[in-house]
Amino acid sequence: MSSTAQKIIIDTDPGQDDGVAILFALASKELDILGITTVAGNVPLALTSQNARMICELAERTDIKIFVGCDAPLNKPLVTAENIHGKTGLDGITLPEPTMPLQSMHSVDFIIETLRREPEKTVTLCTLGPMTNIATAFLKAPDIAPRIKKIIAMGGGFFEGGNITPAAEFNMFVDPDAAKIVLAAGVDLTLVPLDVTHFALTSQEWIKNLRALNTKVGEAVASWTDFFERYDKEKYGSAGAPLHDPCVIGYLLRPELFTGRHINVEIETESPLTAGATVADWWRVTGRPANAFFLNTIDRDGFFELLTERLSLYKY
Ligand code: RIB
Ligand code: CA
């Protein structure tokens, strides 16, 4: 890790794509990972926490502090995605039972304590799942929002619509009330929506190259994406799995690989038909104040070149 490393907290619901994002971040010397905070999402909290431990052990990074967070959305019953991620949330390969500990402090308290301790505007939150932990921290400690440097959140969709419903992307759908709080918090927020992640598609050649690394990490990422890809292939007919969460780390490391627009984004929280839909005022017709940098293009080849370069740094 370099002395000018960016301090980050990764909030996550692993999930194969979360796993790739965490491995991507752990291999990047530009980043100082202060902690990983788990949340319920793709699978229930016990499994997302277990999976976070397995991913850090796969990376041989048992120094990483993992905190357990909220086990359900603010105001809705938890909806999970075993149909996509499998029963364990990391289907595709069987990893050894983890032995590294979970921290005793709750994720929300870790987020609050870290933001109060670290100098103002020096910590970036990278959210890869429903934003329940972040919103709960804002409700419990409103003083921390202005202390955050930036939030980069995988979530939402506009031109690409939704993935769990026609209108809503999964992270936003699971906890729209949490997303509403974060959107209103006045934080420097970048949203990484399906409009971008649906174009961060793996390929069989890429998976083959990963396997050719002959490392545990290469094999795990190849197996996860092979498993994860089947759902999107069947649904969209796409050749490849969308690497949603790794786009958050890619943007953090090389923002120039993406384009976007600073616009107003609101979220539907009430309608049974469209709950979780992100209403992105891309054409600025509402006059509502801009509250997010909403990404809409990715340099796919540049992204995969960077991701492959970092995953290749693992020698085991
Ligand atoms: O819609 C994609 C998002 O939902 C990703 O973060 C994936 O891991 C799931 O959490
Ligand atoms: Ca996720």
Side-chain angles (χ1 to χ4, degrees):
M1 173 187 26
S2 64
S3 57
T4 56
Q6 290 192 64
K7 288 181 273 192
I8 70 169
I9 293 173
I10 299 176
D11 191 73
T12 178
D13 65 332
Q16 291 88 347
D17 61 319
D18 301 68
V20 181
I22 292 167
L23 291 170
F24 190 6
L26 289 172
S28 299
K29 298 273 175 276
E30 305 93 322
L31 306 178
D32 174 9
I33 299 168
L34 302 179
I36 290 178
T37 52
T38 65
V39 67
N42 284 319
V43 285
L45 182 67
L47 279 174
T48 59
S49 304
Q50 166 100 337
N51 292 344
R53 296 161 71 201
M54 292 165 95
I55 294 158
C56 287
E57 290 196 353
L58 173 66
E60 301 198 355
R61 289 296 304 276
T62 53
D63 59 301
I64 294 292
K65 291 187 171 32
I66 303 172
F67 301 83
V68 179
C70 298
D71 63 0
L74 294 182
N75 305 316
K76 287 178 59 179
L78 176 64
V79 170
T80 52
E82 287 85 350
N83 61 317
I84 300 168
H85 298 275
K87 203 168 168 329
T88 70
L90 278 187
D91 283 27
I93 188 168
T94 303
L95 293 174
E97 277 300 301
T99 56
M100 70 183 283
L102 291 168
Q103 299 301 308
S104 54
M105 183 183 285
H106 190 283
S107 290
V108 169
D109 296 324
F110 169 72
I111 291 166
I112 293 168
E113 196 177 275
T114 303
L115 285 165
R116 283 179 173 163
R117 178 190 70 241
E118 296 295 331
E120 268 204 337
K121 306 283 187 194
T122 59
V123 178
T124 294
L125 306 185
C126 297
T127 74
L128 312 181
M131 291 197 260
T132 316
N133 288 338
I134 313 304
T136 305
F138 286 1
L139 292 170
K140 187 171 180 181
D143 59 291
I144 64 169
R147 300 184 61 82
I148 295 172
K149 178 178 180 184
K150 183 187 271 286
I151 295 180
I152 307 173
M154 191 280 138
F158 181 60
F159 294 101
E160 282 291 300
N163 56 2
I164 185 164
T165 75
E169 175 279 324
F170 179 80
N171 290 338
M172 297 295 187
F173 176 78
V174 169
D175 200 341
D177 301 291
K180 190 180 180 95
I181 288 169
V182 174
L183 282 164
V187 179
D188 180 348
L189 172 65
T190 294
L191 286 178
V192 185
L194 298 177
D195 299 33
V196 158
T197 66
H198 271 174
F199 299 92
L201 293 177
T202 60
S203 66
Q204 279 309 310
E205 193 210 347
W206 185 71
I207 290 173
K208 195 160 65 57
N209 292 340
L210 277 181
R211 288 213 157 87
L213 294 174
N214 281 322
T215 60
K216 285 186 304 180
V217 166
E219 180 55 36
V221 172
S223 306
W224 285 338
T225 38
D226 262 343
F227 179 85
F228 180 59
E229 171 187 49
R230 83 210 183 291
Y231 177 83
D232 288 82
K233 248 182 169 169
E234 197 181 310
K235 178 176 176 182
Y236 298 108
S238 57
L243 288 188
H244 304 288
D245 296 334
C247 288
V248 168
I249 306 303
Y251 177 78
L252 180 60
L253 293 170
R254 295 266 196 294
E256 66 274 15
L257 292 174
F258 301 81
T259 65
R261 197 175 278 184
H262 200 223
I263 58 171
N264 175 267
V265 180
E266 303 296 340
I267 186 159
E268 175 58 55
T269 55
E270 304 307 325
S271 155
L273 181 63
T274 59
T278 44
V279 182
D281 186 7
W282 186 258
W283 306 112
R284 297 190 177 106
V285 296
T286 66
R288 289 194 293 259
N291 59 348
F293 189 64
F294 194 85
L295 300 187
N296 88 312
T297 70
I298 179 173
D299 169 353
R300 184 233 174 257
D301 294 344
F303 167 74
F304 273 93
E305 197 182 311
L306 176 64
L307 175 58
T308 309
E309 173 212 306
R310 297 300 159 96
L311 293 177
S312 309
L313 293 175
Y314 289 97
K315 292 305 166 218
Y316 33 76

Short mmCIF file of all heavy atoms in Angstrom, two decimals, residues 13 15-18 41-42 85 128-130 154 163 169-171 194 228 244-245, ligand 1:
data_model
loop_
_atom_site.label_atom_id
_atom_site.label_comp_id
_atom_site.label_asym_id
_atom_site.label_seq_id
_atom_site.Cartn_x
_atom_site.Cartn_y
_atom_site.Cartn_z
N ASP A 13 -22.34 -7.33 0.04
CA ASP A 13 -23.23 -8.49 0.28
C ASP A 13 -22.77 -9.67 -0.59
O ASP A 13 -23.50 -10.16 -1.46
CB ASP A 13 -24.69 -8.11 -0.03
CG ASP A 13 -24.93 -7.79 -1.51
OD1 ASP A 13 -23.98 -7.34 -2.19
OD2 ASP A 13 -26.07 -8.00 -1.99
N GLY A 15 -22.00 -12.75 -2.60
CA GLY A 15 -22.08 -12.41 -4.03
C GLY A 15 -20.74 -12.52 -4.74
O GLY A 15 -19.72 -12.01 -4.29
N GLN A 16 -20.83 -13.29 -5.88
CA GLN A 16 -19.63 -13.52 -6.69
C GLN A 16 -19.02 -12.21 -7.18
O GLN A 16 -17.81 -12.02 -7.13
CB GLN A 16 -19.94 -14.42 -7.91
CG GLN A 16 -20.27 -15.87 -7.57
CD GLN A 16 -21.75 -16.11 -7.31
OE1 GLN A 16 -22.51 -15.15 -7.14
NE2 GLN A 16 -22.15 -17.37 -7.24
N ASP A 17 -19.87 -11.29 -7.66
CA ASP A 17 -19.29 -10.06 -8.22
C ASP A 17 -18.70 -9.19 -7.12
O ASP A 17 -17.68 -8.52 -7.34
CB ASP A 17 -20.30 -9.29 -9.10
CG ASP A 17 -21.54 -8.84 -8.35
OD1 ASP A 17 -22.07 -9.62 -7.54
OD2 ASP A 17 -21.98 -7.70 -8.58
N ASP A 18 -19.30 -9.26 -5.92
CA ASP A 18 -18.69 -8.58 -4.77
C ASP A 18 -17.30 -9.17 -4.51
O ASP A 18 -16.34 -8.45 -4.23
CB ASP A 18 -19.52 -8.79 -3.51
CG ASP A 18 -20.94 -8.29 -3.61
OD1 ASP A 18 -21.73 -8.86 -4.39
OD2 ASP A 18 -21.28 -7.31 -2.94
N GLY A 41 -28.20 -9.12 1.65
CA GLY A 41 -28.57 -8.72 0.27
C GLY A 41 -28.70 -9.94 -0.61
O GLY A 41 -29.68 -10.66 -0.58
N ASN A 42 -27.62 -10.24 -1.35
CA ASN A 42 -27.69 -11.40 -2.25
C ASN A 42 -28.13 -12.67 -1.51
O ASN A 42 -28.85 -13.50 -2.05
CB ASN A 42 -26.30 -11.65 -2.87
CG ASN A 42 -25.98 -10.64 -3.94
OD1 ASN A 42 -26.85 -10.29 -4.74
ND2 ASN A 42 -24.76 -10.14 -3.95
N HIS A 85 -27.10 -16.11 -7.41
CA HIS A 85 -25.80 -16.32 -6.78
C HIS A 85 -25.64 -17.72 -6.19
O HIS A 85 -24.59 -18.07 -5.69
CB HIS A 85 -25.58 -15.25 -5.71
CG HIS A 85 -25.54 -13.87 -6.29
ND1 HIS A 85 -24.41 -13.29 -6.81
CD2 HIS A 85 -26.53 -12.95 -6.46
CE1 HIS A 85 -24.70 -12.08 -7.28
NE2 HIS A 85 -25.97 -11.86 -7.09
N LEU A 128 -21.45 -1.96 -2.32
CA LEU A 128 -21.65 -2.98 -3.34
C LEU A 128 -22.98 -3.72 -3.15
O LEU A 128 -23.27 -4.68 -3.88
CB LEU A 128 -20.51 -4.00 -3.30
CG LEU A 128 -19.08 -3.45 -3.26
CD1 LEU A 128 -18.07 -4.58 -3.24
CD2 LEU A 128 -18.82 -2.49 -4.39
N GLY A 129 -23.76 -3.33 -2.17
CA GLY A 129 -25.03 -4.01 -1.89
C GLY A 129 -26.08 -2.99 -1.49
O GLY A 129 -25.91 -1.79 -1.69
N PRO A 130 -27.20 -3.47 -0.91
CA PRO A 130 -28.20 -2.52 -0.39
C PRO A 130 -27.55 -1.57 0.62
O PRO A 130 -26.68 -1.98 1.38
CB PRO A 130 -29.20 -3.45 0.30
CG PRO A 130 -29.02 -4.78 -0.37
CD PRO A 130 -27.56 -4.87 -0.71
N MET A 154 -22.67 0.95 -6.25
CA MET A 154 -23.24 0.18 -7.36
C MET A 154 -24.73 0.15 -7.10
O MET A 154 -25.19 -0.35 -6.08
CB MET A 154 -22.69 -1.26 -7.41
CG MET A 154 -23.07 -1.99 -8.70
SD MET A 154 -24.77 -2.64 -8.69
CE MET A 154 -25.31 -2.22 -10.36
N ASN A 163 -33.18 -4.90 -13.02
CA ASN A 163 -32.80 -6.31 -13.25
C ASN A 163 -33.62 -7.27 -12.37
O ASN A 163 -33.88 -8.39 -12.74
CB ASN A 163 -31.30 -6.55 -13.08
CG ASN A 163 -30.77 -6.12 -11.73
OD1 ASN A 163 -31.53 -5.67 -10.87
ND2 ASN A 163 -29.46 -6.26 -11.52
N GLU A 169 -33.24 -1.96 -10.02
CA GLU A 169 -31.99 -2.73 -9.88
C GLU A 169 -31.98 -3.34 -8.47
O GLU A 169 -32.52 -2.75 -7.52
CB GLU A 169 -30.81 -1.76 -10.12
CG GLU A 169 -29.44 -2.35 -9.92
CD GLU A 169 -29.05 -2.37 -8.44
OE1 GLU A 169 -29.43 -1.44 -7.71
OE2 GLU A 169 -28.43 -3.36 -8.02
N PHE A 170 -31.32 -4.47 -8.26
CA PHE A 170 -31.44 -5.24 -7.02
C PHE A 170 -31.08 -4.44 -5.77
O PHE A 170 -31.84 -4.43 -4.80
CB PHE A 170 -30.56 -6.50 -7.13
CG PHE A 170 -30.59 -7.37 -5.91
CD1 PHE A 170 -31.65 -8.25 -5.68
CD2 PHE A 170 -29.58 -7.30 -4.97
CE1 PHE A 170 -31.69 -9.05 -4.54
CE2 PHE A 170 -29.61 -8.09 -3.82
CZ PHE A 170 -30.67 -8.97 -3.61
N ASN A 171 -29.90 -3.82 -5.72
CA ASN A 171 -29.46 -3.15 -4.49
C ASN A 171 -30.46 -2.07 -4.06
O ASN A 171 -30.77 -1.90 -2.88
CB ASN A 171 -28.08 -2.52 -4.67
CG ASN A 171 -26.97 -3.55 -4.78
OD1 ASN A 171 -27.14 -4.69 -4.32
ND2 ASN A 171 -25.87 -3.20 -5.41
N LEU A 194 -26.76 0.00 -13.75
CA LEU A 194 -26.77 -1.05 -14.77
C LEU A 194 -26.43 -0.47 -16.15
O LEU A 194 -25.90 -1.19 -17.01
CB LEU A 194 -28.17 -1.69 -14.83
CG LEU A 194 -28.66 -2.40 -13.58
CD1 LEU A 194 -30.09 -2.90 -13.79
CD2 LEU A 194 -27.74 -3.56 -13.20
N PHE A 228 -22.12 -17.43 -12.41
CA PHE A 228 -22.92 -16.20 -12.34
C PHE A 228 -23.44 -15.84 -13.74
O PHE A 228 -24.52 -15.31 -13.92
CB PHE A 228 -21.96 -15.15 -11.78
CG PHE A 228 -22.45 -13.77 -11.58
CD1 PHE A 228 -23.53 -13.49 -10.74
CD2 PHE A 228 -21.81 -12.70 -12.19
CE1 PHE A 228 -23.95 -12.19 -10.52
CE2 PHE A 228 -22.21 -11.40 -11.98
CZ PHE A 228 -23.28 -11.14 -11.15
N HIS A 244 -20.87 -6.27 -12.09
CA HIS A 244 -21.44 -5.06 -11.50
C HIS A 244 -20.49 -4.40 -10.49
O HIS A 244 -20.03 -3.28 -10.69
CB HIS A 244 -22.76 -5.39 -10.77
CG HIS A 244 -23.79 -6.06 -11.61
ND1 HIS A 244 -24.50 -5.42 -12.60
CD2 HIS A 244 -24.25 -7.33 -11.59
CE1 HIS A 244 -25.36 -6.27 -13.16
NE2 HIS A 244 -25.23 -7.43 -12.56
N ASP A 245 -20.20 -5.09 -9.39
CA ASP A 245 -19.48 -4.46 -8.28
C ASP A 245 -18.04 -4.09 -8.58
O ASP A 245 -17.56 -3.05 -8.11
CB ASP A 245 -19.56 -5.37 -7.04
CG ASP A 245 -21.00 -5.52 -6.55
OD1 ASP A 245 -21.82 -4.60 -6.81
OD2 ASP A 245 -21.31 -6.53 -5.92
O1 RIB B 1 -27.87 -5.53 -9.35
C1 RIB B 1 -26.55 -5.96 -9.14
C2 RIB B 1 -26.17 -5.83 -7.70
O2 RIB B 1 -26.99 -6.68 -6.90
C3 RIB B 1 -24.73 -6.32 -7.42
O3 RIB B 1 -24.21 -5.60 -6.33
C4 RIB B 1 -24.91 -7.75 -7.05
O4 RIB B 1 -23.88 -8.25 -6.20
C5 RIB B 1 -26.19 -7.68 -6.30
O5 RIB B 1 -25.89 -7.28 -4.95
#
